[in-house]
């Protein structure tokens, strides 16, 4: 078996996921096309060397449908020989795209892959594909389908995280993200998105609110009370009948932001380095996906992290930095508790609460973010993980070279 | 001139063709106050619909009723037989059988001739489905008529096209709640809702129907026309509104049914799936879901207990038949407390004169005011109050003077549950009432025979045990004492019928049937608490078992103080024969030591903060620390249900109740025992007696001999018997 290396990565800034967001006027295919061009051009790649483009996208219908992976490659003037596919493992799609790319390289089936993702949440809303899971009453019933916010509040209830606990974490995410941007830590990897005239539409994550405080967050009403009372609290408690009542603590300020974004990671075999004139930056050491209880949904990261550590023959102590998608503050608190991860080793540049979570792209963005940070700090290993819809979890370990 | 063919037609449906070629089918079942769609009726209609379709002389048809109502729905006794028969075991054969009615309505719809439903009155279930398959629907303007699809209430769904036609007529959002709740609408409301076309005076119904037919209307249903678009669908895609509705509906249904009632889920799926395809495919989908519901025990058990057997009980099948019918004109209620108030209310509403006697006039007046409050609420709900609120109230005379009881036909004693207090009230009433009056006690636990000794005429003494709140609870336990005469029993049953409640006759025993069985529910909850099972788990399991609230909440409602004092009284009465229960120390702790009596004292197993929802008391953990290993919720559910069912079985074995139907009615209507089971005896049959006995033995091993099955069950298991024998 061959090793799979990360040669480069690039991402768009994350636009606010609303009609007034700076990327709202950019079609999803245009957004990811600019990112695909950039990842090619940064290395002055002959795109015919690329075997495949693997793009994560969680609402792959309408203008995000018809296999964005292949079509965006064509749109980006990649050589016609470059295949493409779209992949959906919900929130981990971007990371799963990276893992699929790595697997193909390790298996010797491909030599060079562009793996990433795209999601224009301001244009194609989450859940707009109206899949069976939430919408077919028989399936929703059978699987105890519960929206993830209720699951997050259940985690807070089970683990006894108070409103202040989750809000304090959210404030940290904001402050770390603001500091990281101010220090220019993202500069080398964030691609300004431009209009057809070449004018910049967006060059910085715009969801951030650096002046957030615990007391400013305290003014926000919990977002999932009405939904819970309409039936979902009961559904989840039927799955967890030792709970008397779900304490609702999550809201827009301590949950991942809805944003638009795209990302791409260049993954290849060692031999490709000379062909493309680049040194590899990191080795993809191991990756894993798991399933866990789908109704509470958000408990995957610990299981996925433990599995990938096992696969890599490593222990928690061998990991220098963690990058966990901040779907909800309670998810992060639980992961830190379960894995005994100190706060200063995880999401050290802030996370999705501050910067947003463009569903299909986030996983790839997290890989890039933590790789840049490993390089900046001179550290060796990182573990990237996300909680995933329907109780899955995905994790990847990278090793800086 | 009647042909040989005509003379074979049943008298149930008259058929006539007039000079304009209009065939009128008049449904009028002999010997029944309302038409029902029995197998025989469906057969007859099939023959007549065939004639309409094939007779060239027929240009159009009117379907109407010879009664003031149209069709009340299915024949429930046939439904019960079908649910418990052999046919349900063969899915293919069952599907063929249940398809008949729907296929027939579809045939009518597509026969190529216009058909109008002239709806004389109430049209429910299959009766309304027949109307929906007609091309035009007009109803007589009768505000009391009910048009609806109530199949969900018997654990079924509208299986003759209702789930497919109603949404196609009025949209999914409007149709679903009507079917999920089984709501009925008046003709005017049905017109507003959009599923009938016109409301006309009753005497113009047929002429209006004919007028429409003579206008050469199209004989095609909307969904059979090209380019038909269902409300709520755009470009073949469900609108976001409709889609979101299904997601929310699934959650709401899980919250309300706690997964015990399959019918609403099947209705949702029949509509969700059926409205994505053309109508014939939708009808096929509906039929399959209908058949699965029929095979589910909930449907059969629900029809059996809540409809067939309840109707029989309401019709006083238990009444001694050779005794002439009686009517209570004037009733005296002793005690204006919670029970007395409610008894006075229902009696006054039934048209009786009521005298409420209490210790002083203030208390008696307050009791009457309770009736006023209930009447106001009832009126606000849209109920008709015959004669108006003041007329009803004028029939209630509050007093502190026992001599006002002169001339009563019936006394209902509802004073404090204490022998001394009861004896005093009895003596005072006895002094003034006519010698022929019946004296009934509302005691919930004291054996009637013993109370009858305090009355001069024990033959005329009986127990009439009501349930709180009296205005809403359907059940009355009727308990003859050892000396109670058959005439007294008959009169008591006649009274129960007058107030339109459901009686069960129970043999005299401490705690009778309901109190004895009901109390094991909170007791088992307390027993589990004492074992270290998490209180939230106990409560959720209780609700998930189908009980209206958790056992600890019920203990708070009933008042632990009351439970404790009943236990104490029992101990005092029976001495060494007293059998202690694991709940006893829990009651003693909460009542004697902690002073936490229940909801009335705002502190029990729950705290009851002002202006907020109740919450489990945090102090429970200190007294009953949670065990490290908690049981599965299904195990807790089982203990809760089986404990009650075992007590019911013991009551049957000891002849406290004499038949399983009484046990089932008493359980469901008296204390809300898991209605989807049809009652404890239906539940035991469904589980299978052998299996039930084996499971109880395992529970007895694990948790104590209160789970030991009685000998009756062991014998039935050995002989392969059922409480409700199947007729094949």
């Amino acid at each position: 078996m061959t090793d799979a290396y990360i040669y480069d990565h690039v991402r768009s800034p994350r636009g606010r996921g609303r009609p007034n967001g700076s990327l709202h006027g950019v079609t999803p295919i245009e957004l990811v096309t600019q990112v695909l061009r950039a990842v090619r051009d940064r290395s002055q790649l002959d795109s015919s060397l690329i075997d495949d483009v693997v793009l994560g996208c969680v609402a792959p219908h309408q203008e995000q449908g018809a296999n964005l992976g292949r079509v965006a490659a064509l749109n980006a003037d990649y050589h016609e020989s470059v295949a493409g596919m779209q992949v959906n493992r919900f929130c981990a799609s971007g990371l799963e795209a990276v893992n699929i790319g790595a697997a193909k390289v390790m298996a010797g089936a491909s030599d060079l892959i562009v793996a990433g993702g795209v999601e224009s949440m301001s244009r194609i809303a989450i859940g707009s594909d109206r899949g069976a899971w939430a919408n077919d009453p028989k399936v929703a019933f059978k699987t105890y389908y519960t929206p993830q916010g209720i699951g997050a509040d259940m985690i807070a209830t089970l683990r006894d995280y108070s409103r202040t606990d989750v809000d304090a974490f959210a404030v940290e995410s904001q402050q770390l993200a603001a500091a990281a941007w101010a220090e220019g830590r993202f500069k080398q990897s964030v691609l300004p998105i431009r209009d057809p005239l070449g004018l910049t539409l967006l060059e910085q994550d715009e969801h951030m609110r650096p002046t957030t405080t615990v007391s400013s967050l305290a003014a926000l009403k919990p977002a999932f009370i009405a939904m819970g009372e309409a039936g979902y609290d009961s559904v989840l408690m039927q799955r967890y009948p030792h709970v008397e009542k779900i304490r609702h603590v999550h809201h827009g300020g301590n949950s991942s932001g809805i944003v638009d974004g795209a990302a791409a990671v260049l993954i290849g075999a060692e031999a490709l380095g000379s062909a493309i004139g680049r040194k590899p930056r990191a080795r993809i050491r191991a990756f894993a996906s798991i399933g866990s209880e789908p109704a509470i949904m958000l408990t995957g990261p610990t299981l996925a992290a433990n599995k990938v550590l096992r696969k890599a023959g490593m222990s928690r102590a061998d990991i220098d930095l963690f990058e966990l998608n901040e779907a909800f503050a309670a998810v992060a608190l639980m992961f830190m508790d379960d894995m005994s991860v100190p706060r200063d080793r995880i999401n050290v540049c802030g996370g999705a609460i501050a910067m947003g979570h463009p569903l299909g792209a986030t996983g790839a963005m997290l890989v890039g973010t933590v790789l840049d940070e490993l390089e900046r700090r001179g550290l060796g290993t990182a573990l990237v993980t996300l909680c995933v819809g329907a109780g899955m979890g995905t994790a990847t370990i990278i090793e800086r070279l | 001139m009647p042909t040989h063919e005509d003379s074979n037609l049943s008298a149930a449906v008259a058929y006539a063709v007039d000079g304009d070629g209009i065939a009128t089918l008049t449904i009028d079942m002999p010997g029944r106050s309302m038409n029902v769609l029995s197998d025989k009726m469906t057969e007859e209609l099939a023959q007549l619909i065939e004639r309409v379709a094939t007779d060239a002389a027929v240009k159009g048809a009117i379907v109407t009723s010879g009664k003031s109502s149209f069709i009340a729905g299915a024949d429930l006794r046939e439904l019960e037989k079908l649910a418990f028969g052999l046919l349900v075991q063969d899915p293919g054969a069952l599907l063929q059988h249940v398809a008949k009615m729907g296929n027939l309505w579809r045939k009518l719809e597509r026969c190529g001739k216009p058909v109008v439903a002239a709806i004389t009155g109430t049209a429910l279930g299959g009766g309304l489905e027949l109307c929906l398959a007609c091309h035009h629907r007009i109803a007589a303007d009768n505000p009391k008529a009910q048009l609806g699809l109530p199949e969900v209430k018997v654990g079924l769904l509208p299986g003759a096209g209702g789930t497919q036609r109603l949404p196609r007529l009025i949209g999914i959002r409007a149709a679903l709640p009507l079917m999920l709740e089984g709501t009925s609408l008046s003709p005017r409301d049905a017109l507003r809702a959009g599923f009938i076309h016109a409301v006309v005076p009753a005497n113009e119904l047929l002429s209006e129907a004919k007028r429409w037919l003579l206008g050469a209307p199209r004989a095609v249903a909307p969904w059979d026309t090209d380019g038909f678009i269902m409300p709520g669908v755009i470009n073949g895609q469900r609108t976001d509104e409709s889609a979101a509705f299904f997601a929310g509906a699934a959650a709401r249904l899980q919250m309300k049914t706690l997964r015990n009632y399959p019918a609403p889920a099947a209705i949702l799926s029949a509509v969700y799936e059926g409205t994505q395809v053309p109508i014939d495919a939708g009808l096929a989908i509906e039929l399959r879901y209908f058949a699965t519901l029929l095979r589910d025990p909930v449907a059969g058990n629900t029809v059996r207990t809540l409809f067939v057997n309840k109707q029989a009980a309401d019709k006083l099948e238990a009444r001694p038949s050779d005794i002439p019918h009686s009517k209570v004109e004037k009733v005296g209620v002793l005690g204006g407390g919670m029970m007395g108030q409610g008894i006075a209310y229902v009696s006054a509403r039934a048209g009786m004169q009521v005298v409420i006697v209490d210790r002083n006039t203030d208390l008696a007046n307050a009791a009457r005011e309770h009736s006023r409050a209930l009447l106001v609420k009832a009126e606000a709900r849209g109920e008709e109050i015959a004669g108006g609120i003041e007329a009803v109230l004028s029939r209630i005379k509050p007093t502190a003077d026992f001599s006002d009881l002169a001339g009563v036909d019936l006394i209902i004693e509802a004073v404090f549950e204490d022998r001394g207090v009861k004896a005093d009230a009895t003596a005072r009433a006895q002094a003034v009432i006519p010698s022929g009056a019946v004296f009934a006690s509302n005691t919930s636990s004291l054996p009637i025979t013993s109370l009858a000794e305090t009355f001069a005429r024990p033959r005329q003494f009986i127990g009439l045990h009501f349930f709180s709140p009296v205005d809403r609870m359907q059940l009355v336990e009727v308990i003859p004492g050892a000396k109670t005469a058959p005439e007294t029993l008959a009169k008591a049953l006649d009274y129960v019928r007058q107030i339109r409640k459901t009686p069960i006759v129970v043999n005299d025993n401490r705690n009778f049937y309901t109190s004895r069985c009901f109390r094991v529910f909170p007791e088992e909850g307390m027993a589990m608490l004492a074992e270290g099972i998490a209180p939230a788990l106990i409560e959720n399991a209780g609700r998930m078992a189908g009980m209206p609230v958790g056992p600890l909440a019920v203990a708070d409602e009933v008042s632990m103080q009351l439970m404790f004092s009943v236990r104490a009284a029992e101990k005092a009465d029976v001495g060494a024969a007293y059998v202690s229960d694991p709940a006893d120390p829990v009651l003693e702790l909460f009542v004697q030591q902690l002073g936490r009596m229940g909801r009335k004292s705002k502190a029990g197993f729950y705290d009851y903060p002002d202006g907020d929802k109740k919450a489990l008391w945090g102090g429970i953990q200190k007294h009953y620390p949670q065990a490290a290993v908690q049981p599965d919720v299904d195990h807790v559910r089982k203990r809760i249900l089986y404990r009650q069912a075992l007590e019911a079985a013991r009551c049957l074995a000891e002849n406290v109740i004499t038949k399983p139907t009484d046990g089932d009615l008493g359980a469901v209507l008296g204390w809300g025992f898991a209605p989807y089971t049809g009652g404890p005896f239906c539940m035991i049959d469904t589980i299978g007696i052998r299996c039930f006995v084996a499971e109880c033995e395992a529970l007895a091993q694990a948790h104590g001999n209160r789970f030991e099955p009685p000998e009756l069950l062991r014998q039935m298991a050995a002989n392969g018997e059922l409480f409700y024998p199947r007729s094949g």
Side-chain angles (χ1 to χ4, degrees), chain A residues 168-255:
Chain A
F169 181 86
V171 169
E172 284 170 8
S173 180
Q174 294 282 3
Q175 289 172 350
L176 289 166
W181 268 103
E183 292 168 26
R185 290 192 225 164
F186 298 124
K187 248 198 130 25
Q188 62 173 8
S189 308
V190 174
L191 170 78
I193 299 297
R194 301 183 192 283
D195 74 4
L197 296 168
L199 300 172
T200 300
L201 291 168
L202 185 67
E203 58 190 353
Q204 181 167 17
D205 296 329
E206 66 179 359
H207 179 75
M208 297 186 290
R209 286 179 197 231
T211 56
T212 303
T213 61
V214 171
S215 54
S216 71
L217 288 180
L220 295 177
K221 287 204 198 96
F224 305 110
I225 291 178
M227 190 185 280
E229 285 175 358
Y232 286 114
D233 276 357
S234 177
V235 172
L236 198 50
M237 285 197 317
Q238 290 173 43
R239 201 49 153 206
Y240 294 85
H242 56 288
V243 172
E244 183 189 1
K245 182 180 161 69
I246 298 178
R247 229 176 355 95
H248 291 289
V249 297
H250 288 94
H251 50 75
N254 58 22
S255 312

Side-chain angles (χ1 to χ4, degrees), chain B residues 511-523:
Chain B
N511 298 317
F512 317 130
Y513 172 63
T514 59
S515 302
R516 175 172 162 180
C517 295
F518 163 70
R519 73 178 185 179
V520 305
F521 168 47
E523 283 174 1

Side-chain angles (χ1 to χ4, degrees), chain B residues 438-475:
Chain B
V438 168
F439 192 106
S441 173
N442 176 54
T443 180
S444 58
S445 59
L446 299 171
I448 298 297
T449 306
S450 61
L451 291 179
E453 297 305 317
T454 66
F455 187 63
R457 301 174 283 275
R459 283 177 56 84
Q460 281 151 241
F461 195 98
I462 194 164
L464 270 183
H465 179 210
F466 290 80
F467 294 82
S468 180
V470 178
D471 60 298
R472 277 190 283 136
M473 297 303 278
Q474 279 288 306
L475 191 76

Side-chain angles (χ1 to χ4, degrees), chain B residues 412-565:
Chain B
I412 301 178
E413 171 276 295
V415 305
F416 187 66
E417 191 82 345
D418 172 277
R419 286 186 184 279
V421 175
K422 286 186 186 302
D424 179 63
T426 305
R428 294 174 74 181
Q430 178 186 292
V432 295
I433 60 178
S435 58
V438 168
F439 192 106
S441 173
N442 176 54
T443 180
S444 58
S445 59
L446 299 171
I448 298 297
T449 306
S450 61
L451 291 179
E453 297 305 317
T454 66
F455 187 63
R457 301 174 283 275
R459 283 177 56 84
Q460 281 151 241
F461 195 98
I462 194 164
L464 270 183
H465 179 210
F466 290 80
F467 294 82
S468 180
V470 178
D471 60 298
R472 277 190 283 136
M473 297 303 278
Q474 279 288 306
L475 191 76
V476 179
E477 249 180 323
V478 181
I479 313 113
K483 294 183 180 166
T484 305
E487 290 79 12
T488 304
L489 174 60
K491 284 181 185 172
L493 289 169
D494 289 341
Y495 166 73
V496 174
R497 189 169 194 185
Q498 265 181 276
I499 57 172
R500 296 206 270 175
K501 295 205 180 288
T502 305
I504 59 169
V505 180
V506 169
N507 287 325
D508 196 17
N509 191 45
R510 180 174 292 274
N511 298 317
F512 317 130
Y513 172 63
T514 59
S515 302
R516 175 172 162 180
C517 295
F518 163 70
R519 73 178 185 179
V520 305
F521 168 47
E523 283 174 1
E524 191 60 25
M526 289 185 266
M528 291 194 278
L529 191 70
E531 292 170 26
I533 298 179
L537 179 58
I538 294 171
E539 294 296 88
N540 282 331
R543 279 192 299 271
M544 287 163 74
M547 304 304 294
V549 290
L552 302 178
V554 143
D556 275 3
E557 288 292 319
V558 165
S559 155
M560 284 193 269
Q561 177 163 55
L562 177 60
M563 292 182 70
F564 181 78
S565 50

Side-chain angles (χ1 to χ4, degrees), chain B residues 111-188:
Chain B
C111 71
K113 302 174 188 183
V115 183
V116 56
I119 309 167
T120 54
T122 292
L124 297 170
L128 183 60
E129 287 175 294
L130 166 54
C131 300
L132 294 177
C134 295
H135 308 105
H136 195 66
R137 290 169 285 283
I138 55 178
D141 191 4
N142 174 3
K144 287 217 180 106
Q146 299 192 25
L147 308 183
L149 298 171
E151 287 88 337
V152 69
K153 296 181 182 176
V154 292
L156 294 169
L157 57 74
T163 68
Q164 301 305 304
R165 292 193 175 90
L166 194 61
R168 284 170 171 80
L169 271 173
I170 67 176
I172 292 167
R173 285 210 65 147
L176 264 176
L178 292 176
M179 293 187 285
L180 290 173
E181 309 285 328
T183 314
S184 299
L185 300 181
S186 69
R188 283 191 185 273

Side-chain angles (χ1 to χ4, degrees), chain A residues 130 138 141 238 241 243-244, chain B residues 240 243 254 259 289 540 616:
Chain A
R130 295 206 222 112
K138 199 171 183 176
F141 187 97
Q238 290 173 43
V243 172
E244 183 189 1
Chain B
D240 282 333
Q254 289 174 72
R259 296 166 177 266
Y289 278 114
N540 282 331
L616 283 167

